[in-house]
Amino acid sequence: MRRFAILGSIASASPDFRLDDLPGTSGRLDIHARCIRAALLYAHGMRTDVVVYLVLLGGPRAPRTVRIDTTAKFIRPDERALATLLQKTLASTADDAGPGFHPHKDGIALARGGIDIVLADAANARLFLLEESGLEMRHHTTLDGEGDRLFVIGDHLGIDEVTQSALLARGAQRLSVGPVSLHAEDVVTLVTNEMDRRGVPR
Ligand SMILES: C[S@@+](CC[C@H](N)C(=O)[O-])C[C@H]1O[C@@H](n2cnc3c(N)ncnc32)[C@H](O)[C@@H]1O
């Protein structure tokens, strides 16, 4: 299984944002919407073996994490539809029920908490910290083989040092998709393509 965690340093954990100005009012949830598309969809439908975690660290209800897997319905390729889905999801109170992920709808769950809750949920996954100065992905033999992989990717502000240290302390490996600093959704696409080429279930 491929798992992607997209960190949103100021991304709204509440539904209080405007769909007609998503970047300006949501703490850049537009990045998360594009990452959902890049991770879960291919040209003719939905992948079957992917989980996306949106770690939302901005606004009054933060920290909160949305988990979306490939059993989710109405995952459309356009950003506005995905933002609408996120807004409805964030209006849910499912995560008031207590610790851990709680289902909101098929394939969509919510939890209170940030990267810690992701690491607990993906406890058996090999960890990869995506950063420009990491080891070039094409040379990473540790990407091969069976089992889960969790790829942690920053937003427009990158990954803060505390989170980086926590990931490295858990054995995360630094992984680069190339020498140029890219947008998060492009990183998801390149990792996805590399996994496709290596025959990892998609
Ligand atoms: C727009 S970049 C962040 C740029 C931010 N200004 C910084 O200094 O970290 C978004 C995220 O994509 C990932 N990323 C971008 N380019 C990458 C690359 N060439 N290799 C690996 N990860 C990359 C990193 O996780 C980064 O935090």
Side-chain angles (χ1 to χ4, degrees), residues 137-179:
M137 178 168 67
R138 291 178 184 173
H139 307 316
H140 244 292
T141 51
T142 50
L143 281 171
D144 290 323
E146 305 285 313
D148 284 16
R149 300 145 181 82
L150 173 65
F151 301 98
V152 181
I153 300 171
D155 59 6
H156 62 300
L157 299 174
I159 303 176
D160 67 86
E161 291 202 359
V162 172
T163 303
Q164 289 199 32
S165 301
L167 290 167
L168 294 172
R170 287 183 178 238
Q173 299 182 52
R174 299 177 193 269
L175 186 67
S176 167
V177 297

Side-chain angles (χ1 to χ4, degrees), residues 31 129-134 152-159 164 175-185 187 190:
I31 295 172
L129 171 57
L130 273 291
E131 63 174 28
E132 294 83 333
S133 59
V152 181
I153 300 171
D155 59 6
H156 62 300
L157 299 174
I159 303 176
Q164 289 199 32
L175 186 67
S176 167
V177 297
V180 177
S181 182
L182 300 174
H183 292 297
E185 66 268 29
V187 176
L190 288 171

Side-chain angles (χ1 to χ4, degrees), residues 15-116:
D16 309 323
F17 54 85
R18 288 189 6 230
L19 292 171
D20 61 1
D21 183 12
L22 189 61
T25 60
S26 71
R28 296 304 311 273
L29 277 177
D30 57 307
I31 295 172
H32 292 79
R34 291 191 293 272
C35 287
I36 294 170
R37 186 200 59 72
L40 295 180
L41 299 180
Y42 66 101
H44 302 294
M46 185 84 129
R47 291 175 176 272
T48 55
D49 222 9
V50 183
V51 177
V52 182
Y53 301 93
L54 311 178
V55 179
L56 309 177
L57 303 174
R61 295 181 70 179
R64 232 173 158 201
T65 298
V66 177
R67 184 183 67 196
I68 309 179
D69 67 40
T70 52
T71 64
K73 307 279 190 293
F74 309 115
I75 303 296
R76 310 276 186 234
D78 71 285
E79 200 174 304
R80 179 148 181 142
L82 292 169
T84 303
L85 182 84
L86 282 180
Q87 194 168 50
K88 287 180 180 164
T89 301
L90 292 172
S92 165
T93 54
D95 52 331
D96 287 349
F101 281 97
H102 298 278
H104 163 57
K105 289 197 166 180
D106 285 349
I108 303 180
L110 272 164
R112 294 244 178 108
I115 192 68
D116 288 346

